[in-house]
Amino acid sequence: MSSQNKTKTDDDYSNVHIVNPFVHKLKLENTFDKFKTAVLTVVLLPVRVLIICILLVIAWGLASIGLYGLTMEDLQTKPMSGWRRKFQSLTAMSMRAMFVAGSFHNLKLIGKPASPKDAPIVVVAPHSSFFDSIVPISVGAVPCCVLAKIETSSLAFFGKLINFTQPIYVSREDPNSRQNTIKSIIERANSKLDWPQIIIFPEGTCTNRSCLITFKPGAFYPGVPVQPVCIRYPNKLDTVTWTWEGPGVLKLLWLTLTQIQTACEIEFLPVYVPSDEEKKNPKMFANNVRKVMAKALDVPTSDYTYDDCRLMTRAKELNIPNAADIVEIERLNQKISIDQRHIEENILATGRINSKNCYVSLSEFAKLLEVAPNDVSTKLLFSLFRKDNEENIDFRDYLMCAIFLNRTSVPAIQILESISKLYETKVDYVETNTSTKGLLNTDGLLNVMKHAMPLTSDDCTAIFTQLDKRNQKLISFYDLQEWLSSKPEHSHLFKATDLPTKRKIQCDQ
């Protein structure tokens, strides 16, 4: 099944690529950057951390005083006024100073912030970093109200800082959380009281700023004027972007705090007043505001959503290959109608792919899936699985993605059962009444178990020995399933998810 001859058709995919808004790669490319970072880590980082801690304590102290004597009900029912409002302003100043101390002393404000009366809601995009929290404290004299999980209100230190903004709380325990949150936004946005503006990041998740993904309609249900705010980080080295796949929080903090300066631009666009039609259709309102912001940012829009991130997270938890590209794989499968024909299921059932013939070229890939090799979508799909510009791909990687996409809502154990078919050991006879299908050796067990939990080779061998009671050097998947079900710590493998069984997503034409 593996072809060594490079054809013109096989080479065409080298000219196609896909931009994934949920991936960010960060590397110190040259020796100078590495040397500078090392020196500033020793010389500058400790000083900045000390100053930030002092300012954070000051902000916390101001918030604690401002919250004195107030109940949670008070925070939700009436805005602060008088001396408490002044303390809110002082807290915002302390937080802004904290950003300046942390390298954000090159903050550029473009345009004019609207008053809460003219625009009760501020929508900010693109949302790409926890550093975007600089916006709520830069919009006006007092920090904007934010949306916050109810659990944050009881955090030992940061809880008071969050509470002092009088956020709209979201409770995951409440089955009507979405409806109640929208109701709270509508009530506060239309209130006659002197509430601060509500600030919302309508994308709902972080991206790498390569496009604007679908706006969630929550900010647009009230049907009130909104002020779009665009945020940019025009830096040579991007140390702020925090996406689904990429550097973690600590690395980004370290690299940002060891920069001489971090540039940030916040652009306040003109207030967007919805039409009567948009007031009745929040999704239309959200989409039209997104178009305005995309034009100002000079980036395209994309139909990626927050739910796509949930799908990628589920794929990553199960260690599915190419988890970061799983949405694009789903999109391309739908474009070439593979998802409707269940061809992968037939390949899996017939055992046509194994460790000896799993590496395929583009033409062989297309033949297996019964699609045209010169189709752009086929080439894009194939290119997603290429590693280090190698000519062929491991078709099992694609099959695992297909297995996952066809079973997004089922318990993980069912996905593991299908994956196990890729690693079965073919035998003619074993001394047991068990079928010779679905048998795994130690390597097969290790390949299956890596999709359930992190295991060392020794751990896997110990499990295999425990299950191989007849000492046949083979076990069945059903033996493994029974063993997993007897362990409470693996109960999550037997629980279904709330992801849709089959998603229909919009495919770009």
Side-chain angles (χ1 to χ4, degrees), residues 249-318:
V249 173
L250 291 179
K251 183 175 181 180
L252 293 175
L253 280 171
W254 164 52
L255 290 176
T256 300
L257 292 176
T258 53
Q259 298 301 303
I260 299 297
Q261 68 173 17
T262 301
C264 176
E265 294 179 359
I266 300 174
E267 181 178 6
F268 300 91
L269 300 181
V271 173
Y272 189 105
V273 180
S275 65
D276 290 338
E277 188 177 5
E278 288 172 327
K279 290 178 181 179
K280 297 175 184 177
N281 189 339
K283 290 186 178 179
M284 176 193 292
F285 187 6
N287 192 47
N288 289 342
V289 171
R290 183 175 68 144
K291 288 178 181 177
V292 170
M293 299 181 75
K295 183 177 180 180
L297 290 161
D298 194 24
V299 298
T301 59
S302 169
D303 292 317
Y304 282 106
T305 66
Y306 172 72
D307 285 338
D308 293 336
C309 266
R310 293 179 60 223
L311 187 73
M312 290 189 294
T313 299
R314 169 75 168 161
K316 189 172 183 179
E317 288 171 351
L318 295 176

Side-chain angles (χ1 to χ4, degrees), residues 415-483:
I415 297 176
L416 295 180
E417 181 179 2
S418 295
I419 289 176
S420 71
K421 295 177 182 178
L422 294 172
Y423 300 104
E424 289 180 359
T425 298
K426 306 298 181 182
V427 295
D428 296 327
Y429 173 77
V430 291
E431 295 179 4
T432 176
N433 294 327
T434 305
S435 167
T436 57
K437 290 186 177 181
L439 297 178
L440 302 169
N441 58 22
T442 51
D443 289 338
L445 177 63
L446 183 60
N447 281 318
V448 171
M449 288 297 286
K450 71 182 181 183
H451 299 286
M453 66 198 74
L455 285 179
T456 66
S457 181
D458 290 341
D459 292 335
C460 196
T461 300
I463 295 172
F464 188 91
T465 302
Q466 184 179 346
L467 297 179
D468 185 20
K469 297 176 181 178
R470 294 174 179 266
N471 196 28
Q472 298 177 4
K473 308 302 181 186
L474 292 169
I475 63 169
S476 73
F477 179 81
Y478 302 104
D479 292 332
L480 174 62
Q481 181 175 335
E482 187 175 322
W483 179 80

Side-chain angles (χ1 to χ4, degrees), residues 85-375:
R85 180 61 67 93
K86 291 180 180 178
F87 268 63
Q88 279 186 320
S89 297
L90 291 172
T91 303
M93 288 174 60
S94 298
M95 297 297 288
R96 286 195 289 268
M98 189 175 70
F99 272 92
V100 171
S103 79
F104 284 84
H105 44 83
N106 188 14
L107 176 62
K108 183 178 181 181
L109 302 181
I110 305 171
K112 183 180 179 182
S115 68
K117 183 179 179 181
D118 293 331
I121 295 177
V122 175
V123 290
V124 183
H127 185 25
S128 63
S129 175
F130 47 85
F131 289 115
D132 291 347
S133 56
I134 194 173
V135 180
I137 58 175
S138 302
V139 171
V142 297
C144 293
C145 300
V146 297
L147 301 186
K149 293 182 290 186
I150 187 66
E151 294 84 0
T152 61
S153 64
S154 57
L155 290 176
F157 190 86
F158 291 98
K160 288 189 181 295
L161 291 170
I162 295 171
N163 288 342
F164 203 37
T165 68
Q166 296 191 275
I168 294 174
Y169 291 107
V170 180
S171 174
R172 289 183 175 178
E173 303 299 324
D174 181 2
N176 300 314
S177 174
R178 182 173 178 274
Q179 291 80 359
N180 290 338
T181 301
I182 291 172
K183 181 182 176 182
S184 297
I185 294 173
I186 292 173
E187 288 177 352
R188 196 173 289 194
N190 289 286
S191 174
K192 300 298 183 183
L193 299 176
D194 186 26
W195 285 103
Q197 288 168 299
I198 304 168
I199 192 163
I200 296 176
F201 295 88
E203 291 174 296
T205 189
C206 289
T207 70
N208 57 21
R209 299 188 299 280
S210 61
C211 63
L212 290 185
I213 66 173
T214 302
F215 280 12
K216 300 174 79 172
F220 306 94
Y221 275 107
V224 298
V226 302
Q227 181 167 37
V229 175
C230 300
I231 185 166
R232 305 179 182 89
Y233 296 96
N235 299 287
K236 181 180 179 182
L237 182 65
D238 184 358
T239 65
V240 301
T241 300
W242 184 43
T243 55
W244 182 85
E245 183 175 289
V249 173
L250 291 179
K251 183 175 181 180
L252 293 175
L253 280 171
W254 164 52
L255 290 176
T256 300
L257 292 176
T258 53
Q259 298 301 303
I260 299 297
Q261 68 173 17
T262 301
C264 176
E265 294 179 359
I266 300 174
E267 181 178 6
F268 300 91
L269 300 181
V271 173
Y272 189 105
V273 180
S275 65
D276 290 338
E277 188 177 5
E278 288 172 327
K279 290 178 181 179
K280 297 175 184 177
N281 189 339
K283 290 186 178 179
M284 176 193 292
F285 187 6
N287 192 47
N288 289 342
V289 171
R290 183 175 68 144
K291 288 178 181 177
V292 170
M293 299 181 75
K295 183 177 180 180
L297 290 161
D298 194 24
V299 298
T301 59
S302 169
D303 292 317
Y304 282 106
T305 66
Y306 172 72
D307 285 338
D308 293 336
C309 266
R310 293 179 60 223
L311 187 73
M312 290 189 294
T313 299
R314 169 75 168 161
K316 189 172 183 179
E317 288 171 351
L318 295 176
N319 201 21
I320 300 298
N322 297 71
D325 297 313
I326 198 70
V327 176
E328 198 59 45
I329 293 167
E330 179 183 39
R331 189 187 304 267
L332 292 168
N333 274 351
Q334 289 185 14
K335 287 191 76 170
I336 54 183
S337 302
I338 295 177
D339 64 313
Q340 298 175 11
R341 294 180 282 139
H342 304 290
I343 292 172
E344 310 98 327
E345 301 287 344
N346 295 330
I347 295 173
L348 199 65
T350 55
R352 291 160 59 189
I353 293 295
N354 54 55
S355 59
K356 295 180 179 179
N357 66 352
C358 59
Y359 287 92
V360 299
S361 65
L362 172 61
S363 58
E364 293 165 338
F365 176 79
K367 185 176 181 180
L368 281 166
L369 297 181
E370 300 175 17
V371 294
N374 59 346
D375 184 280

